[in-house]
Amino acid sequence: MFAYILRRLLWSVPFLFAASFLAFVIIQLPPGDYVESYAAKLEADGQQVDEIRIRSLRDRFGLDEPFLVQYWKWISGISKGDFGLSFQWQQPVSELIGDRMLLSVILATSTLLFTWSIALPIGIYSAVKQYSVGDYIFSVIGFIGLATPNFLVALILMYVGVVVFGTNVTGLFSAEYANAPWSWGKLVDLLKHLIIPVVIIGTSATASLIRIMRANLLDELYKPYVTTARAKGLTEFKAIMKYPVRIALNPFASTIAWIFPQIISGSTIVAVVLSLPTVDPLMLGALLTQDMYLAGAFILLLSVMSIVGMIVSDIVLAFIDPRIRFR
């Protein structure tokens, strides 16, 4: 296992360089750059465009330098912990991402725990009680959850919150805690506001995992080793939970591989609709304004998260499934 992880980590280094180069190429593909977009916005707003300021901005950010020179400056700065300066925000990228990344990690982790805690018992029940009334009810709810877009659920809950309960469900903090330093009160306020976005984001994932868990467990329940376990005197609970459920858990471990990159880009539309102060709206804005250093940092983080997620997923799979061995 250690040798496998070491090989994966070594192979990830050239992959990250390739991903960062490709990300920089993609960011540069649209015509123009941030300064041209900035000048066009000023003209659209009816403001005077100062050519001297435009030229100074181009010189400051090195936008007239060759592509490879710009890429090398960016990637060499990242190796020293400097992700560059955001054109739009005029702040270091690392400072912009900091608090938002923390909130994104908390949101993604909470969503994962919510999804697993709901999908696992319901999936097991639906498989064990196949074609029962409860199985049909959960199947209908699951199909509705799969078919309903997350942003639509967000809009419905926003409407219900404002019209029925007279409360605003957007954001992750109350007004008094939005810009306050971290404290116990701010943490409690965050946990209160997490419920709505966690339910919205986790709805489709929960419905999907319920169907996957049900299908996988049904494949295992009628195999000879389960019949043998029952014949040897194991209780029904042990015969199901000790072997079939353990094998059917593979999809849950596999979801870790996409949960990690989902921290960066998994709930962009919902975050915009609910005005969540996570990294998703920031990344969307960086791509729209061609803020290349900020957008490049997000794409690079997506690549890193994907690699880490796959490694963690493989390790967890090896522990829960004795059939998997790395040699």
Side-chain angles (χ1 to χ4, degrees):
M1 175 68 77
F2 177 77
Y4 170 79
I5 296 173
L6 184 61
R7 286 197 306 270
R8 290 286 295 270
L9 291 175
L10 290 175
W11 273 107
S12 66
V13 175
F15 174 78
L16 285 176
F17 272 104
S20 65
F21 183 79
L22 183 61
F24 210 74
V25 170
I26 293 172
I27 294 168
Q28 299 278 22
L29 282 178
D33 50 41
Y34 172 76
V35 175
E36 292 184 10
S37 300
Y38 173 70
K41 185 176 183 299
L42 289 179
E43 290 182 352
D45 293 340
Q47 301 182 34
Q48 184 70 27
V49 178
D50 189 349
E51 294 296 335
I52 297 177
R53 173 166 172 75
I54 295 297
R55 172 52 55 186
S56 66
L57 285 173
R58 299 192 69 84
D59 293 339
R60 178 185 177 187
F61 296 129
L63 297 178
D64 291 328
E65 295 181 355
F67 170 79
L68 292 177
V69 174
Q70 294 184 46
Y71 170 75
W72 177 251
K73 285 184 177 180
W74 177 63
I75 201 66
S76 58
I78 288 178
S79 65
K80 302 172 185 176
D82 180 14
F83 284 84
L85 184 71
S86 169
F87 299 162
Q88 182 181 8
W89 298 88
Q90 295 294 297
Q91 292 182 32
V93 171
S94 55
E95 293 181 6
L96 280 173
I97 294 177
D99 287 342
R100 289 175 176 265
M101 180 63 75
L102 175 62
L103 293 175
S104 294
V105 170
I106 294 174
L107 179 60
T109 305
S110 303
T111 304
L112 178 65
L113 295 177
F114 168 80
T115 301
W116 284 8
S117 61
I118 299 297
L120 181 59
I122 292 180
I124 294 173
Y125 173 85
S126 294
V128 174
K129 303 293 184 180
Q130 187 182 19
Y131 302 135
S132 65
V133 175
D135 180 29
Y136 284 123
I137 292 174
F138 287 129
S139 296
V140 171
I141 295 174
F143 287 131
I144 293 174
L146 286 171
T148 307
N150 286 341
F151 74 88
L152 181 59
V153 179
L155 292 173
I156 293 172
L157 289 181
M158 286 174 62
Y159 177 82
V160 172
V162 172
V163 175
V164 179
F165 299 101
T167 181
N168 187 6
V169 299
T170 60
L172 290 177
F173 298 103
S174 302
E176 62 269 23
Y177 288 109
N179 299 313
W182 281 101
S183 62
W184 177 252
K186 184 172 183 176
L187 179 60
V188 173
D189 187 66
L190 171 63
L191 295 178
K192 290 179 181 178
H193 284 79
L194 271 179
I195 298 174
I196 298 297
V198 163
V199 170
I200 293 171
I201 298 171
T203 299
S204 60
T206 301
S208 176
L209 283 179
I210 288 175
R211 304 306 303 168
I212 293 173
M213 185 67 189
R214 179 182 183 277
N216 281 14
L217 189 53
L218 283 174
D219 288 341
E220 299 295 327
L221 283 178
Y222 301 103
K223 289 186 176 179
Y225 72 88
V226 181
T227 304
T228 303
R230 291 192 181 102
K232 287 187 174 182
L234 262 70
T235 62
E236 188 66 15
F237 180 81
K238 282 187 176 181
I240 293 174
M241 298 299 295
K242 190 172 182 179
Y243 300 110
V245 169
R246 184 178 176 183
I247 301 301
L249 279 175
N250 285 8
F252 284 77
S254 300
T255 58
I256 298 175
W258 55 262
I259 283 294
F260 276 68
Q262 193 180 40
I263 293 174
I264 307 295
S265 63
S267 54
T268 303
I269 300 178
V270 174
V272 172
V273 171
L274 293 179
S275 302
L276 303 180
T278 56
V279 296
D280 305 271
L282 192 64
M283 181 180 68
L284 178 61
L287 294 172
L288 291 176
T289 60
Q290 293 181 258
D291 194 346
M292 64 182 187
Y293 292 129
L294 184 57
F298 280 124
I299 296 176
L300 187 61
L301 283 173
L302 278 172
S303 302
V304 173
M305 291 291 190
S306 298
I307 293 172
V308 173
M310 286 188 289
I311 293 175
V312 173
S313 178
D314 289 342
I315 294 172
V316 173
L317 279 171
F319 276 109
I320 67 174
D321 192 340
R323 299 172 298 179
I324 298 175
R325 292 291 179 267
F326 299 105
R327 291 191 178 94

